[in-house]
Amino acid sequence: MEFRVLGPVSAWQDDGEVPLDGAKQRTVLAALLLARGRTVPDTRLCELLWGERPPATFAAQLYNYVSRLRKYLGDGVEIVRQWSGYLIRIGAGRLDLDEFERLAGLGRRALRTGEHREAARLLHAALALWRGTTLANVTDQLVEAEAHRMTELRMAVLEHRIDADLLLGRQVELVLELTDLVTTYPLHERVRSQLMTALARCDRQADALAVYHEGRRVLAEELGVDPGPALVEAYQAVLAGTPVPAVEAPEVTDRGRRPVHPAMLPPAADDFCGRAEELRRLTGLLAGPASAAPPTALLTGMAGIGKTALALRAAHLCRPDFPDGQLYADLGGTRGNAPDPHDVLGWFLRSLGNSEAQIPTRLDERERLYRSQLAGRRVLVLLDNAADDAQVRPLLPGDPSCRVLLTCRGRLSELPGVTRMEVGILGPVQALALFAAIVGPQRVSAEPAAARRIVQMCGRLSIGIRVAAARLIARPHWSLGYLAQRLAHERFRLDELRLGTLDVRARIEGSYQALGEDSQVALRRLALLRTAEHPIGATARVLGVSRRVGEEVAETLVDARLLEVAGSDGGRRQRHRFHNLVRVFAREKADRADRRIMAGGREGGARPAVGVRHREDIAALGTVGW
């Protein structure tokens, strides 16, 4: 299959053009192709299709456009749903934009190395791929978003092609073309300087000087500026009788470039406490000898438990073991703004010393360059808050001397060769030590009982302890006992555990929003039981579904780290329990659901549970024999 965007958007097979329905479907295809292997979010596609006023049914319409594209393009092309968006994989297919950039790159290289005839051939071939007005049959929104970039892309290659033709002595043929270009782009100084050079080589110095003075006038009237260096240089060359085109300097190879040692790690927390055993294991893995594959360590656990703090502590302790640098990226996790691996590779390649011109546009090409530049080097790659396996896989180096450290709420079970370390809540002594390190040991020793109550009501969760301590620092007139009284009210506890960007509720909310509706309903209803611990069968009872369905829903809550595995019933059935702050959060959600029901709304997408529709019925359920 061949895809074309350098002109009207179309798809072609051996037997002719693939029929597409209209401008909107072509817009979806063009947007996915122009993303070059990156995910295009639904919001972006919606904007390109309908602008600022999408219809109420935009999600269904977008799904319909994608479904029909899949049907028309066949099995050789994949349109994949990923991270609230879509990406296209064309497999063995060809995109004319890719071929254009390949030919243009070869042509520029030939021009830099003095192979002028070969450069002209390649650059002419690249420009021949443009077939009329770019994106001529898509929505106005896509044209507005992409047309300028595409025009600039073509103009850059056109300038190089004209340079090659001038070096080959083709100035007579170029005068008419350049005159038309200057008329179309009167403020384009590079093209104007090329016209001056062509005219002067045709022994038309007076016309060349007139072109300069006209350009000077237009720039002054339109922009209020004087001519730039390129135009002034061409003017002086005409006066001196030696006009030459400005050609790029000879290419500098990587062998002449000094290696760059990135140091992207954020600072580690000075008040880090505890986790001695986890640190010992983690630093031993990171600093160990090279193996057959780059060792990867994954820290996994519930939101706010301290995975990032532990990872940064270990990474900083091991910095001497990675003299070639440390790369870091926050991958967004469940916040809904997870960056595409294409963009993350761009950050890494720039940090490794590559200029924008040296960084490929395709994801697979960026992967190859990234792994090539890490080959033979000792680099630590820290990927924080990973969203899923697909986001992480392109960011893994291939050299066994490198190390990868991941943090994620999930277990990333599809990644091979990963050492997984579960990060649990702090022990009572560790939690109190962290609280004292932030608040100050004097305040803790003055009110030890209140300090212990605060730490306990924070569930010994790292983020909760940090927020509570930060509030005491912000309010030095508060006693620890006063804060403990405020936290004792469960209804307001999560309000108390919020200060600036530190927000326990927001951390749990990210995991909650990633659930399906049935799982959200189950979490709310389980939180209403009189005990924080319950057998796995409780999920089926509170939802009013079969045991098998209930167990599947319960497992999704465990995977999301909103329930913990507390043990088993006689070795046969799992028992689950809530972390106390998650239970408080889920009860808040249950209260809001009750208010919606009382206002005439509905609780959610789960099937109604016979006999347990009200919170009193759920709370009254026993937990024996489930």
Side-chain angles (χ1 to χ4, degrees), residues 3-12 17 26 30 96 129-138:
F3 295 96
R4 299 178 181 176
V5 294
L6 303 180
V9 176
S10 58
W12 295 74
E17 185 175 0
R26 293 175 190 272
D96 59 356
L129 293 172
W130 293 71
R131 302 170 311 280
T133 304
T134 308
L135 305 175
N137 53 354
V138 298

Side-chain angles (χ1 to χ4, degrees), residues 14-88:
D14 293 337
D15 53 353
E17 185 175 0
V18 176
L20 300 176
D21 291 336
K24 285 188 168 58
Q25 192 173 78
R26 293 175 190 272
T27 296
V28 174
L29 176 60
L32 296 178
L33 290 170
L34 291 171
R36 317 296 285 280
R38 289 173 289 172
T39 301
V40 183
D42 292 346
T43 52
R44 178 60 173 165
L45 290 171
C46 181
E47 180 183 337
L48 295 175
L49 288 168
W50 294 287
E52 297 180 356
R53 295 187 176 182
T57 59
F58 74 88
Q61 291 191 46
L62 177 57
Y63 177 81
N64 187 44
Y65 291 137
V66 171
S67 297
R68 292 165 80 173
L69 270 179
R70 287 179 176 136
K71 175 184 175 183
Y72 294 151
L73 300 180
D75 296 336
V77 176
E78 286 186 278
I79 301 180
V80 182
R81 180 71 175 166
Q82 193 173 77
W83 306 323
S84 300
Y86 295 93
L87 66 83
I88 191 168

Side-chain angles (χ1 to χ4, degrees), residues 54 68 140 144 151 164 187 214 259 326 379 399 403 520 531 604 623:
R68 292 165 80 173
D140 292 341
E144 184 178 348
T151 299
L187 300 176
E214 174 64 15
Q326 308 87 40
V379 174
D399 194 288
R403 296 290 186 273
Q520 290 182 354
T531 174
T623 59

Side-chain angles (χ1 to χ4, degrees), residues 1-12 29-37 77 88-103 126 129 131 135 149-150 153 361-362 365:
M1 174 116 15
E2 179 184 353
F3 295 96
R4 299 178 181 176
V5 294
L6 303 180
V9 176
S10 58
W12 295 74
L29 176 60
L32 296 178
L33 290 170
L34 291 171
R36 317 296 285 280
V77 176
I88 191 168
R89 297 182 182 132
I90 63 175
R94 300 180 303 278
L95 175 63
D96 59 356
L97 181 57
D98 289 341
E99 179 65 6
F100 170 79
E101 292 185 340
R102 185 186 72 83
L103 291 169
L129 293 172
R131 302 170 311 280
L135 305 175
R149 181 176 70 89
M150 300 290 281
L153 186 65
T361 55
R362 291 173 60 100
E365 292 175 348

Side-chain angles (χ1 to χ4, degrees), residues 20 48 93 202 205 208 240 375 510 532 614:
L20 300 176
L48 295 175
C202 294
Q205 284 84 356
H614 303 291

